[in-house]
Amino acid sequence: MLKIEDILKIIPHRFPFVLVDRIVELEEGKRIVGVKNVTANEAFFVGHFPGMAVMPGVLIVEAMAQTGVVLNLYRDESPQDKLVLFAGIDNCKFKKPVVPGDQLRLELEITARKGPIWRMRGKALVDGVVVAHADLTAAVTERRKRDDT
């Protein structure tokens, strides 16, 4: 449904920190399903862990969050002017390790929304088995331009 080129028009992240490769389902304002192909080439596998590569749990949650940003900014006329910041992570559990060769299926649904604050329930699955789940809270704000001079 949405390829990486489309995703990069919505989220501010860039490689190597883009953690969603494709959107395969999207029900506007309600739910989304994204995919992250976990490859042996991921930079984090160099140190996590040598000889036993495991995707860091915080990056699994970040992949869920990035997928959620796509859901929330999909129809926004100027997503490049927005920044979505974590406001909370609750009820987070990691059930199984994610390793090179796995494909993460990232399923999120909006559970509440009030102004710029939204809550989502997310889960990450590999081969139909839940490997992580969490309730995420985020805040949408205007992106400020940095003065790098």
Tab-separated table of all heavy atoms in Angstrom, residues 42-50 54:
chain	number	residue	atom	x	y	z
A	42	GLU	N	21.904	-4.665	9.589
A	42	GLU	CA	21.527	-3.586	10.506
A	42	GLU	C	22.737	-3.217	11.360
A	42	GLU	O	23.407	-4.084	11.929
A	42	GLU	CB	20.378	-4.029	11.420
A	42	GLU	CG	19.183	-4.631	10.716
A	42	GLU	CD	18.274	-3.626	10.016
A	42	GLU	OE1	18.474	-2.412	10.152
A	42	GLU	OE2	17.362	-4.086	9.318
A	43	ALA	N	23.011	-1.923	11.468
A	43	ALA	CA	24.190	-1.435	12.203
A	43	ALA	C	24.186	-1.877	13.663
A	43	ALA	O	25.242	-2.181	14.230
A	43	ALA	CB	24.268	0.083	12.107
A	44	PHE	N	23.020	-1.974	14.276
A	44	PHE	CA	22.970	-2.307	15.707
A	44	PHE	C	23.403	-3.732	15.998
A	44	PHE	O	23.799	-4.042	17.120
A	44	PHE	CB	21.579	-2.034	16.298
A	44	PHE	CG	20.427	-2.621	15.532
A	44	PHE	CD1	20.088	-3.961	15.650
A	44	PHE	CD2	19.675	-1.816	14.695
A	44	PHE	CE1	19.028	-4.493	14.955
A	44	PHE	CE2	18.593	-2.337	13.988
A	44	PHE	CZ	18.271	-3.682	14.123
A	45	PHE	N	23.353	-4.620	15.002
A	45	PHE	CA	23.764	-6.002	15.243
A	45	PHE	C	25.267	-6.150	15.483
A	45	PHE	O	25.707	-7.139	16.056
A	45	PHE	CB	23.333	-6.922	14.095
A	45	PHE	CG	21.862	-7.251	14.104
A	45	PHE	CD1	21.133	-7.232	12.935
A	45	PHE	CD2	21.208	-7.597	15.282
A	45	PHE	CE1	19.784	-7.550	12.926
A	45	PHE	CE2	19.862	-7.911	15.297
A	45	PHE	CZ	19.144	-7.884	14.111
A	46	VAL	N	26.044	-5.165	15.076
A	46	VAL	CA	27.496	-5.224	15.291
A	46	VAL	C	27.806	-5.356	16.784
A	46	VAL	O	28.684	-6.113	17.182
A	46	VAL	CB	28.188	-3.973	14.705
A	46	VAL	CG1	29.663	-3.931	15.074
A	46	VAL	CG2	28.010	-3.938	13.196
A	47	GLY	N	27.057	-4.636	17.607
A	47	GLY	CA	27.342	-4.671	19.040
A	47	GLY	C	26.244	-5.282	19.892
A	47	GLY	O	26.372	-5.348	21.114
A	48	HIS	N	25.161	-5.749	19.280
A	48	HIS	CA	24.024	-6.269	20.061
A	48	HIS	C	23.558	-7.592	19.484
A	48	HIS	O	22.535	-7.633	18.794
A	48	HIS	CB	22.887	-5.262	20.035
A	48	HIS	CG	21.891	-5.437	21.132
A	48	HIS	ND1	20.790	-6.241	21.006
A	48	HIS	CD2	21.824	-4.894	22.359
A	48	HIS	CE1	20.070	-6.167	22.120
A	48	HIS	NE2	20.682	-5.352	22.949
A	49	PHE	N	24.095	-8.645	19.707
A	49	PHE	CA	25.293	-8.952	20.471
A	49	PHE	C	26.249	-9.703	19.566
A	49	PHE	O	25.794	-10.527	18.787
A	49	PHE	CB	24.942	-9.824	21.676
A	49	PHE	CG	24.033	-9.163	22.669
A	49	PHE	CD1	22.675	-9.422	22.671
A	49	PHE	CD2	24.533	-8.256	23.583
A	49	PHE	CE1	21.840	-8.819	23.597
A	49	PHE	CE2	23.704	-7.657	24.519
A	49	PHE	CZ	22.341	-7.930	24.521
A	50	PRO	N	27.562	-9.468	19.671
A	50	PRO	CA	28.504	-10.197	18.816
A	50	PRO	C	28.344	-11.705	19.002
A	50	PRO	O	28.312	-12.204	20.120
A	50	PRO	CB	29.876	-9.723	19.312
A	50	PRO	CG	29.608	-8.369	19.898
A	50	PRO	CD	28.228	-8.482	20.514
A	54	VAL	N	20.676	-9.951	18.265
A	54	VAL	CA	19.309	-9.776	18.744
A	54	VAL	C	18.934	-8.307	18.554
A	54	VAL	O	19.679	-7.413	18.955
A	54	VAL	CB	19.184	-10.146	20.249
A	54	VAL	CG1	17.790	-9.846	20.771
A	54	VAL	CG2	19.526	-11.615	20.475
